Amino acid sequence: MPVSLDPIDDPAEFNRVVAAQPFTSPLQSWGYGEARKVLGQQPMRFLVRRNGSTVGALQLLRKRLVPGLSTLYAPRGPALEDVALLPELAPALRRLAKVTDAYLKVEPPRAIPAASGDVGQAEDVAADQRDVPPAYGAFHRAKTEQPEHTILADLTRPEDELFSGLHKMARRNVRTAQKMGVQAGRDDDFEAFWHIFDQTNTRAQLGAFPRAYYETLFREGNKHGSETYLVLSRHEGQALAGGFFLGLGESTLYLYGGSVRDDRPPAEGQDKRKDAKAPDAFYWNAMLDAKEHGYSVFDFWGIPRVLDESKHSFGVFKMKLKFSTDRYWFPAYDLRLSPVATPVVKALHARRKLLNYRSRGTTDDIL
């Protein structure tokens, strides 16, 4: 019996099914789709059924490019009982597509371990991805929209084992932060987070969506069984590092954040202010918080495909690597729906390079 896609308009039930799948992601949550409306994208939700049983859920975003032309996108989805079902979805997806939809992009939430021991060198990229399938039936490997290379941490281990697994520099910095009185944990100060996030983006020449998008995700992602939350790292009350998280089921994602320079004057009798190691305290306490709230997988969300010490992403990668060395790939796949799919993909890639060059002086992506 073929796989069917049945529309669903019950947010709680949809999230329940998404959370229950072995291959799933918080980006398939109802609230994430609601936030994308701010960007002009239209979410559609379906239950995936086979032989009368529910075997998954799918959130699709229709993204209008120009009048009469659009694409479909499943952010880190679909959520499935088994990714082997993906090829069977192609006929149903073709039936629901409009004539204006050029192609459909999926990002199956199957974490594929990085294969090589050496991280990120250009000549190792192919070997590093040797276990990544080139296709799933009619779906063929394509560029991702979300970061395809990331670091995950297994939070099911005891706290002392987690701590001993950190890089020695991370352990030392966490202890320094504790001695200096740094406080890190869940925090409802969105303005403090926004200051950190905005300053980080400006300093690193990163792009960002309008603030309304993050505010909407913060509100809508905190409903129907999923949750959004902030973790901030403060020294003497000043927020110096922090992040925005989206969690559902067993996983939580560190989606947005950063750190700011501590430009406060030094204490009396000191030449300069001592580094409180707030970013290290942020990462460690975010992991502990996630563990305490029942998450077993912590996604650090994005490291570069190829290392380049001149890029901001290199420093971010080295920081994340201190807290876990378990690297994974989340590749994307396209289902071509129209004869114009190929030129549309090429045009979007060219546009992305142009935007990168205008904003940072290079055509390369951040990651």
Side-chain angles (χ1 to χ4, degrees), residues 96 140 183 253:
L96 69 83
H140 293 272
Q183 300 293 318
L253 314 178

Side-chain angles (χ1 to χ4, degrees), residues 296-347:
S296 59
V297 178
F298 187 100
D299 192 333
F300 287 84
W301 206 250
I303 57 175
R305 298 177 79 252
V306 179
L307 292 186
D308 182 343
E309 294 189 28
S310 68
K311 291 185 177 181
H312 167 79
S313 59
F314 180 82
V316 174
F317 161 71
K318 296 297 285 186
M319 169 62 82
K320 293 177 180 180
L321 196 65
K322 292 192 300 183
F323 291 86
S324 177
T325 58
D326 297 333
R327 299 182 298 109
Y328 292 87
W329 296 94
F330 285 92
Y333 299 85
D334 284 356
L335 176 68
R336 303 299 172 95
L337 302 171
S338 163
V340 303
T342 297
V344 166
V345 169
K346 290 181 178 178

Side-chain angles (χ1 to χ4, degrees), residues 26-347:
L27 293 195
Q28 282 287 292
S29 66
W30 191 281
Y32 186 79
E34 292 300 291
R36 304 303 280 197
K37 290 180 180 179
V38 175
L39 307 178
Q41 301 171 12
Q42 185 59 44
M44 301 174 287
R45 289 91 171 192
F46 306 90
L47 295 184
V48 181
R49 291 201 169 106
R50 187 188 195 197
N51 297 327
S53 298
T54 299
V55 293
L58 169 65
Q59 176 165 245
L60 276 179
L61 304 174
R62 177 168 278 117
K63 303 168 68 173
R64 183 174 179 267
L65 303 179
V66 295
L69 190 62
S70 55
T71 63
L72 296 172
Y73 170 50
R76 281 281 178 97
L80 293 172
E81 183 179 279
D82 189 338
V83 292
L85 291 167
L86 191 58
E88 299 181 41
L89 280 172
L93 290 169
R94 290 187 187 279
R95 286 193 295 270
L96 69 83
K98 293 182 177 181
V99 294
T100 55
D101 295 326
Y103 66 88
L104 185 151
K105 185 182 296 291
V106 296
E107 294 169 339
R110 174 194 171 203
I112 301 173
S116 72
D118 295 328
V119 181
Q121 300 304 319
E123 62 272 18
D124 297 324
V125 171
D128 204 43
Q129 301 184 57
R130 68 187 179 204
D131 295 327
V132 175
Y136 284 97
F139 296 88
H140 293 272
R141 182 80 186 274
K143 282 187 172 291
T144 60
E145 294 215 10
Q146 306 302 327
E148 69 171 342
H149 195 195
T150 190
I151 292 176
L152 304 180
D154 176 9
L155 301 181
T156 61
R157 295 172 292 165
E159 181 180 331
D160 58 349
E161 187 177 326
L162 279 174
F163 190 75
S164 64
L166 304 185
H167 187 277
K168 62 181 180 180
M169 185 66 73
R171 296 197 302 271
R172 184 171 69 183
N173 289 349
V174 168
R175 292 189 180 105
T176 296
Q178 292 171 341
K179 291 177 181 178
M180 293 185 65
V182 172
Q183 300 293 318
R186 291 207 180 191
D187 201 304
D188 60 4
D189 189 345
F190 191 88
E191 290 298 328
F193 157 75
W194 186 256
H195 174 71
I196 291 170
F197 182 55
D198 182 60
Q199 290 294 307
T200 299
N201 286 347
T202 300
R203 184 174 69 247
Q205 296 181 299
L206 304 176
F209 297 124
R211 174 169 170 158
Y213 163 74
Y214 304 94
E215 292 175 330
T216 303
L217 180 57
F218 194 52
R219 180 182 67 251
E220 297 298 327
N222 213 25
K223 300 177 180 178
H224 315 302
S226 63
E227 70 164 350
T228 48
Y229 61 96
L230 306 175
V231 174
L232 297 181
S233 182
R234 297 178 180 271
H235 181 238
E236 298 175 352
Q238 182 77 24
L240 299 175
F244 181 119
F245 293 81
L246 173 63
L248 178 65
E250 296 183 351
S251 299
T252 187
L253 314 178
Y254 167 39
L255 293 180
Y256 317 110
S259 62
V260 292
R261 295 187 177 92
D262 190 353
D263 55 4
R264 295 173 294 173
E268 186 175 350
Q270 294 181 350
D271 294 332
K272 63 179 181 178
R273 177 173 285 274
K274 186 177 180 181
D275 185 356
K277 307 300 181 184
D280 295 84
F282 158 70
Y283 278 107
W284 173 239
N285 284 280
M287 292 170 67
L288 292 184
D289 172 87
K291 180 178 176 63
E292 180 182 344
H293 284 82
Y295 295 110
S296 59
V297 178
F298 187 100
D299 192 333
F300 287 84
W301 206 250
I303 57 175
R305 298 177 79 252
V306 179
L307 292 186
D308 182 343
E309 294 189 28
S310 68
K311 291 185 177 181
H312 167 79
S313 59
F314 180 82
V316 174
F317 161 71
K318 296 297 285 186
M319 169 62 82
K320 293 177 180 180
L321 196 65
K322 292 192 300 183
F323 291 86
S324 177
T325 58
D326 297 333
R327 299 182 298 109
Y328 292 87
W329 296 94
F330 285 92
Y333 299 85
D334 284 356
L335 176 68
R336 303 299 172 95
L337 302 171
S338 163
V340 303
T342 297
V344 166
V345 169
K346 290 181 178 178

